[in-house]
Amino acid sequence: MSRGFLGSMIAATVVLSCGEEVTGPSAELCATRHGAEVCVDRAEYQRTQPVTFTTRNVSSRPIFKDACSTKLVGVTSLSREFEEEYNPRLRCGSDVTASDVRANMVRLDPGSSFEETLTLTTFAFQGYYRANVWILDEQGERVAETPAHSGIFRVFPATGG
């Protein structure tokens, strides 16, 4: 056995023996739900960093992404449930109406995608996160009671100055 291969095997054994809480996300960076695949661009971020993610229509019909309610949500442990609350006031203001939601929704034809960026807050806790993306019909109504969402990524506190 070569030294490089042996070293890699030892390192893999050490990392895998630590458990999922230490080694990072246990899921892929992409997830598919309600005809939308949502992918984040990296597995790890620090507070205040921008998180870029892409929503792709993987269905055979047009879908509409709600730009008003897209949100990063997190948990401190993967044994906890991620928040799935619909709130269009997040990005379109406290006086948002159904007309505002329709005016801000993004049409995605089959196979097309939309990339966007949300920035983590300075008080983002260390843990597991994903992007929640609500999918609407042509009239601006939610197609499901749950959002499409990205795969899981980790947030760590900044380590340098």
Side-chain angles (χ1 to χ4, degrees):
M1 233 185 260
S2 73
R3 286 181 155 204
F5 179 74
L6 183 58
S8 296
M9 291 300 292
I10 291 170
T13 302
V14 169
V15 169
L16 292 173
S17 68
C18 295
E20 76 177 46
E21 294 295 320
V22 176
T23 60
S26 64
E28 298 294 322
L29 297 180
C30 298
T32 302
R33 192 187 221 186
H34 309 311
E37 176 188 62
V38 184
C39 301
V40 290
D41 66 334
R42 295 195 346 233
E44 296 178 355
Y45 296 88
Q46 292 181 355
R47 295 175 184 135
T48 71
Q49 285 188 314
V51 176
T52 301
F53 55 98
T54 303
T55 304
R56 177 174 287 103
N57 181 350
V58 295
S59 76
S60 59
R61 59 177 173 60
I63 62 173
F64 300 85
K65 187 191 114 21
D66 184 348
C68 292
S69 63
T70 303
K71 179 180 182 180
L72 300 176
V73 294
V75 293
T76 55
S77 167
L78 289 176
S79 63
R80 303 198 59 180
E81 295 290 321
F82 284 94
E83 173 192 319
E84 294 189 339
E85 180 181 333
Y86 179 70
N87 184 357
R89 291 183 299 275
L90 287 172
R91 299 183 71 196
C92 290
S94 59
D95 295 332
V96 68
T97 64
S99 304
D100 296 327
V101 170
R102 281 191 301 278
N104 285 287
M105 64 187 189
V106 177
R107 179 187 172 111
L108 295 170
D109 289 318
S112 66
S113 61
F114 182 78
E115 182 179 280
E116 62 190 302
T117 301
L118 294 176
T119 301
L120 289 159
T121 63
T122 56
F123 53 86
F125 56 85
Q126 180 172 323
Y128 302 91
Y129 286 75
R130 71 182 192 195
N132 280 353
V133 176
W134 291 88
I135 304 301
L136 308 174
D137 63 18
E138 201 165 350
Q139 290 75 39
E141 298 294 323
R142 288 181 286 162
V143 297
E145 291 299 313
T146 57
H149 57 80
S150 70
I152 297 170
F153 60 92
R154 293 284 309 258
V155 172
F156 293 99
T159 56

